[in-house]
Amino acid sequence: VQGLAESGGGSVQAGGSLRLSCASSGAIYSRHCVGWFRQAPGKEREGVAAFHTGPSGEKMYGDSVTGRFTISQNLAKTTFFLEMNNLKPEDTAVYYCSAFPSPGPWCTLFVGSYGNWGQGTQVTVSS
């Protein structure tokens, strides 16, 4: 899926919250897997959260963010969000969103399943 743009990053103190947005140039009505990823300096890109836009609405989260991050979408299916609470310094990274068509009711956090990466949005958490 092309035309996705991330926004909403910033600098916060540990324990704070941020909401990232992933805006699509058009509504994603058909079944897709939408994912949020992050990449810290010197580290590989990792999956943070993923969401299936079909009836199952399956959601999955990386172990390090489970219980703190929530992925969602707006009713128009044009914008996807990553609500991040209780942020920690280790959450500091550039955050990216991406999506791919997924007819089946499943998603994945595997980076290799995604593409068309944008510029991302920087999140910095200070201790």
Side-chain angles (χ1 to χ4, degrees), residues 9-92:
S11 297
V12 297
Q13 291 189 331
S17 299
L18 282 173
R19 188 175 80 159
L20 305 183
S21 298
C22 173
S24 172
S25 57
I28 301 179
Y29 289 112
S30 57
R31 300 180 180 190
H32 281 71
C33 185
V34 180
W36 281 98
F37 300 83
R38 67 187 182 187
Q39 187 164 16
K43 295 186 177 181
E44 294 185 350
R45 190 166 300 183
E46 65 171 344
V48 174
F51 168 68
H52 194 268
T53 63
S56 74
E58 180 189 19
K59 297 180 180 180
M60 57 179 57
Y61 299 92
D63 291 341
S64 63
V65 306
T66 297
R68 301 188 297 122
F69 291 12
T70 303
I71 188 171
S72 63
Q73 69 176 48
N74 65 349
L75 291 178
K77 298 187 177 183
T78 57
T79 305
F80 300 86
F81 305 99
L82 184 68
E83 187 76 35
M84 306 186 296
N85 297 312
N86 190 22
L87 283 161
K88 303 176 180 180
E90 50 264 42
D91 295 318
T92 295

Side-chain angles (χ1 to χ4, degrees), residues 27 40 63 120 126-127:
D63 291 341
S126 58
S127 57

Side-chain angles (χ1 to χ4, degrees), residues 76-117:
K77 298 187 177 183
T78 57
T79 305
F80 300 86
F81 305 99
L82 184 68
E83 187 76 35
M84 306 186 296
N85 297 312
N86 190 22
L87 283 161
K88 303 176 180 180
E90 50 264 42
D91 295 318
T92 295
V94 178
Y95 284 70
Y96 304 87
C97 65
S98 181
F100 69 90
S102 178
W106 60 270
C107 260
T108 180
L109 291 175
F110 177 55
V111 175
S113 295
Y114 297 82
N116 293 318
W117 301 104

